[in-house]
Amino acid sequence: MADSTDTTTVSNVGRIDRLAENKYAQLLVTAGPVVVFEAIFFLGALTIMLLIATWEMQDFTLVRQFNINNFTDALTKLQNIQAFKTTILVASLSTITTAIFAFPVAYYIAMYGGEYKNQLVALIIVPFWTNYVVRIFGWRSILSTDGILNKLLLSTGIVDEPLGFLLNSRFAIYFGLVYLWLPFMILPLYSSLEGIDRSLIEAAKDLGASKFQAFRYVVFPLSIPGLLAGTIFVFIFSMGSFIVPSLLGGGTPFIGTRIEYEFGFGADWPAGSALGTILMIIVLVTLGTLIRHANMEDIF
Amino acid sequence: MSTDTTRGDNSPVRSAGRSITGLLEGYWLKIWTAIFIVFLYIPIVFIVVFSFEKGEFSTLPWSGFTLHWYRVLLDTSVAIDAIYNSLLVAVVVTTLATVMGTLGAIALVRHDFRLKRVYRSLVIAPMTIPGLILGIALLMLFNFFSIDLSLYTIMLGQLVFIVPFVLITVTARLRGFDRALEEAARDLGATRWSTYRHVTLPILAPGIISGALFAFTLSFDDFLIAFFTGGPNNTLPVYIYSNVIRTTTPVVNAISAVALFVSMILIILSQYLQR
C-alpha cells in the first residue's frame, strides 16, 4: 500500500523534473507571464494611445475618423507651445541643478563615507521612496505667502513683505523638481564613484597630477555613466511630471497639467493622447541618445 | 635614484599640504552633504509636526498640541475607505508582482536565449516611462476595450511598472548566487524540486521579500496610475491630492502623516533586508 503511493509520487516528480529540464518549458514559465502582461498592458496601451491620437472628439464622444489635426494642434496651439517651452526650460534647468548639487554629496559619501556609507545612502533612499504627493503638499504649505518660510523671513527682518514667487510660479516648479529628483541623481552618481579603483587616483597623484587634475582627468570621466543615468531619469521624469506643476505651479503652463486638462475638464482625449505621444517621443529620443553610455541598472 | 631623493625631499611638505586640503575638502563636503540630507526631510517633518498643531492653518506661530485632527480623520469614512482601498490594491499587486517579477528575473539571469536583449528592454522600459504617459495610455486601453474603471484596473495598471521593479531587485540578488550550491545538492541526490525548495528559495528569500516590500511601497504611494485608471475609486494619494487642491484643512496633514508612516516603515524594512 505504502509502496504503491510512493512509486506514483516518485514517477510524478520524475515527470515534472523531466519537463523542468526542458529549456523552452523553463522559459515559458519564467519569462512568459511578464512578456504577455507587458505586451498587452504596456505596448498595447501605448499603441492604443497613438491610435486614439489620430481620432477626434465630437460632442463628448470619440469618433473613429483618421486625421493628424491633433498633432498639428499639439505643436501649434499657443498654450501648447508655451507649455512645451516652459517644460523643456524648467526640466533642463532642474537637471543641471540636481547634477551640480548632487555631485558633491555623492562624492562625499563615496570617498569619505567610510563605515557609514550604507547608512548615509539609506538616509537618502528613505525620503526618496516616501509618498511624493505628500512631500510636495508639504512644500506647498511651507512656501505659501502665509507659510512657515515667509513667516520666518518676515520675523527675522530679511524681507519686508512675503515673497510671492515662492509658490504658484515657474520657480516653484523648478524648486519642486530639484527637490523631488535630487536622490535620482545622487544614487547613480554614488554607485559610479563608489566603483572607482582608488589606486587609479593614487597613480595619477604619484605621476605628479594635482588634486584637481586627478579629479578632472580620472574621477570625473569615470563618473560619467552615473551622471548620464541620473540625467536621463531627472530629465524624463521632470518632463513628465504632473504633481509638481499641479500643486506648486498654480496655473503655470506645463505639459503634464495640459495633458491632465485634456483628459479632465477639456474632455478632448485625442488631443491629450497626441500631447502624450509627443512627450513619449521626447522621452524616447532622450533615452536613445544617452542610454548607451549610462549605467542604468545600479540605481534600483 | 635622483627621482627618489626629490620625492623624499618633497614628500613631508606635500603630504602635509595634501592632508590639510584633504581635511578642508572633507569638511566642506560634509557640511554640503548634511544640508542636502536635511533638505530631503524638511517637508516630511513639517507634515508630521503640523498634523499635531491646533490651528486651522499650518504655519507659525505654533498654537498648541492636539490629537483633534486624527480624531476627525477616524470619523471621516471617505478617508478610511481610501486607506482601505490603498491597502487592498497594494496587497494584490504585491502578490502578483512578486511572483511574476521573480520568475522573470530567473529568465533574465539563468537563461540565454535569442531576443534576450528585446526581453530586457521590454522589462526596463515600463520603469523609464513617466507615470503620466502610462496612466493616460492605460485609460485609453481600458476605454477601448470598454472595461469599467475600478480597483481592478488600478491593480492591472500598477503591475505594468511594479513587476519590472521587483524583477530588477531580484535579478541583483540572483547575480550573486553561487550555482555550485545547487549543483552540490543535485549531486547529493536532491530532486530539482527539493533543490529549489531547500537551497534556491532560502538563499533568494531576502531578495524576494525586499522586492515585495518595494512593490508594496510603490503601489501604496502610486498616484498617477490610480488617478487616471481608478474612475470614481479613491486610493489614499488620490484622496489626499483631491483634498489638497480644493481646501487645506489640517485633517489632510493627519492623513498625510499616516501615508508617510506606512511608506517609511516599509522602505526602511526593505532597505534593512537588502543588506
Side-chain angles (χ1 to χ4, degrees):
Chain A
M1 238 343 225
D3 265 347
S4 74
T5 39
D6 264 14
T7 38
T8 42
T9 14
V10 167
S11 79
N12 267 336
V13 170
R15 207 178 303 146
I16 294 167
D17 253 30
R18 242 173 295 132
L19 189 64
E21 300 290 352
N22 184 304
K23 194 190 152 192
Y24 293 102
Q26 285 177 2
L27 263 185
L28 195 70
V29 173
T30 53
V34 186
V35 170
V36 171
F37 186 82
E38 297 292 354
I40 299 173
F41 291 99
F42 179 62
L43 298 180
L46 292 177
T47 312
I48 286 168
M49 176 179 77
L50 182 62
L51 181 69
I52 286 179
T54 64
W55 293 356
E56 53 186 67
M57 206 80 171
Q58 285 170 5
D59 304 324
F60 297 102
T61 42
L62 276 173
V63 182
R64 304 185 181 203
Q65 192 163 45
F66 179 82
N67 65 81
I68 57 159
N69 295 345
N70 297 311
F71 287 99
T72 46
D73 281 355
L75 294 170
T76 53
K77 261 192 184 171
L78 188 63
Q79 66 263 48
N80 290 335
I81 294 176
Q82 272 182 334
F84 271 113
K85 272 188 187 162
T86 314
T87 309
I88 291 172
L89 176 75
V90 173
S92 311
L93 281 179
S94 313
T95 311
I96 296 167
T97 312
T98 44
I100 294 171
F101 286 171
F103 203 101
V105 178
Y107 185 80
Y108 175 77
I109 300 176
M111 302 293 173
Y112 299 88
E115 51 181 320
Y116 298 110
K117 264 182 200 172
N118 287 338
Q119 282 89 327
L120 287 169
V121 171
L123 273 178
I124 288 165
I125 290 179
V126 170
F128 182 43
W129 293 113
T130 300
N131 198 309
Y132 73 105
V133 178
V134 171
R135 287 184 293 139
I136 294 303
F137 161 55
W139 280 119
R140 183 176 152 112
S141 307
I142 295 170
L143 298 174
S144 73
T145 26
D146 41 30
I148 184 169
L149 181 63
N150 269 316
K151 290 269 160 110
L152 281 173
L153 289 173
L154 284 170
S155 66
T156 50
I158 296 173
V159 294
D160 297 329
E161 48 186 85
L163 297 174
F165 75 91
L166 291 177
L167 190 64
N168 301 333
S169 62
R170 281 205 259 182
F171 169 81
I173 301 179
Y174 162 75
F175 178 88
L177 292 174
V178 170
Y179 167 78
L180 204 54
W181 305 130
L182 198 60
F184 240 151
M185 191 63 94
I186 297 177
L187 296 173
L189 262 176
Y190 165 76
S191 123
S192 279
L193 289 167
E194 225 277 307
I196 294 177
D197 186 350
R198 296 303 177 84
S199 57
L200 289 174
I201 305 170
E202 284 308 309
K205 284 182 185 163
D206 285 347
L207 292 169
S210 69
K211 208 162 177 103
F212 175 75
Q213 284 172 320
F215 177 82
R216 167 74 185 76
Y217 294 105
V218 179
V219 177
F220 184 71
L222 289 171
S223 72
I224 285 178
L227 191 62
L228 281 180
T231 302
I232 290 175
F233 277 114
V234 175
F235 185 73
I236 288 178
F237 286 104
S238 298
M239 288 294 301
S241 62
F242 166 68
I243 281 291
V244 173
S246 172
L247 289 185
L248 303 182
T252 307
F254 214 79
I255 289 301
T257 40
R258 281 286 308 135
I259 291 178
E260 192 265 343
Y261 172 81
E262 296 292 9
F263 284 95
F265 287 112
D268 192 345
W269 291 7
S273 297
L275 284 169
T277 307
I278 292 169
L279 182 58
M280 175 81 194
I281 292 168
I282 297 176
V283 167
L284 289 177
V285 169
T286 315
L287 277 173
T289 41
L290 296 178
I291 204 166
R292 238 165 297 153
H293 311 284
N295 175 11
M296 301 291 277
E297 262 180 44
D298 285 353
I299 298 171
F300 309 104
Chain B
M1 199 60 200
S2 68
T3 39
D4 264 346
T5 29
T6 28
R7 243 182 149 190
D9 285 346
N10 280 346
S11 75
V13 184
R14 252 177 85 183
S15 68
R18 243 190 229 170
S19 65
I20 289 171
T21 51
L23 268 178
L24 272 180
E25 190 189 81
Y27 180 72
W28 288 115
L29 284 172
K30 192 186 216 168
I31 291 177
W32 182 275
T33 305
I35 289 173
F36 279 99
I37 289 180
V38 169
F39 176 60
L40 292 177
Y41 286 87
I42 289 174
I44 297 175
V45 173
F46 175 86
I47 292 281
V48 175
V49 168
F50 279 91
S51 68
F52 295 110
E53 199 225 9
K54 265 189 191 150
E56 282 279 338
F57 306 101
S58 313
T59 187
L60 295 174
W62 179 263
S63 45
F65 178 89
T66 179
L67 286 173
H68 174 70
W69 308 117
Y70 285 90
R71 258 177 247 126
V72 177
L73 171 61
L74 285 177
D75 291 335
T76 315
S77 63
V78 210
I80 301 300
D81 285 350
I83 297 177
Y84 172 77
N85 286 345
S86 272
L87 289 174
L88 180 69
V89 168
V91 167
V92 175
V93 167
T94 303
T95 314
L96 293 173
T98 308
V99 174
M100 283 164 71
T102 306
L103 289 172
I106 293 172
L108 194 62
V109 179
R110 293 287 177 90
H111 297 291
D112 273 317
F113 49 98
R114 279 182 302 158
L115 301 179
K116 192 168 177 174
R117 288 189 51 169
V118 179
Y119 175 63
R120 208 188 164 75
S121 313
L122 182 66
V123 164
I124 293 187
M127 303 193 292
T128 52
I129 293 294
L132 177 69
I133 299 181
L134 197 56
I136 59 170
L138 283 160
L139 173 62
M140 296 295 94
L141 176 93
F142 294 134
N143 180 266
F144 189 82
F145 292 110
S146 313
I147 300 169
D148 288 335
L149 299 179
S150 63
L151 291 181
Y152 298 113
T153 48
I154 299 180
M155 292 171 194
L156 286 169
Q158 289 186 348
L159 279 169
V160 172
F161 76 97
I162 295 178
V163 169
F165 269 101
V166 177
L167 198 154
I168 295 295
T169 316
V170 179
T171 299
R173 190 83 195 178
L174 270 170
R175 289 247 160 82
F177 186 96
D178 186 1
R179 292 202 75 173
L181 291 172
E182 281 183 340
E183 276 155 31
R186 298 292 303 268
D187 286 347
L188 292 170
T191 60
R192 187 171 260 275
W193 169 245
S194 71
T195 310
Y196 236 84
R197 172 72 188 75
H198 297 289
V199 179
T200 318
L201 267 183
I203 295 177
L204 289 184
I208 296 175
I209 294 171
S210 111
L213 287 169
F214 202 20
F216 198 98
T217 327
L218 286 172
S219 167
F220 194 78
D221 289 343
D222 164 69
F223 168 78
L224 285 163
I225 305 296
F227 182 64
F228 283 108
T229 66
N233 303 282
N234 276 342
T235 60
L236 186 52
V238 177
Y239 176 80
I240 292 173
Y241 172 80
S242 49
N243 267 278
V244 167
I245 49 167
R246 272 188 275 115
T247 53
T248 315
T249 79
V251 185
V252 186
N253 287 340
I255 195 169
S256 297
V258 173
L260 287 174
F261 180 73
V262 174
S263 61
M264 280 183 98
I265 292 285
L266 288 163
I267 204 66
I268 289 169
L269 264 179
S270 141
Q271 281 297 306
Y272 178 75
L273 281 167
Q274 247 170 2
R275 296 277 119 75

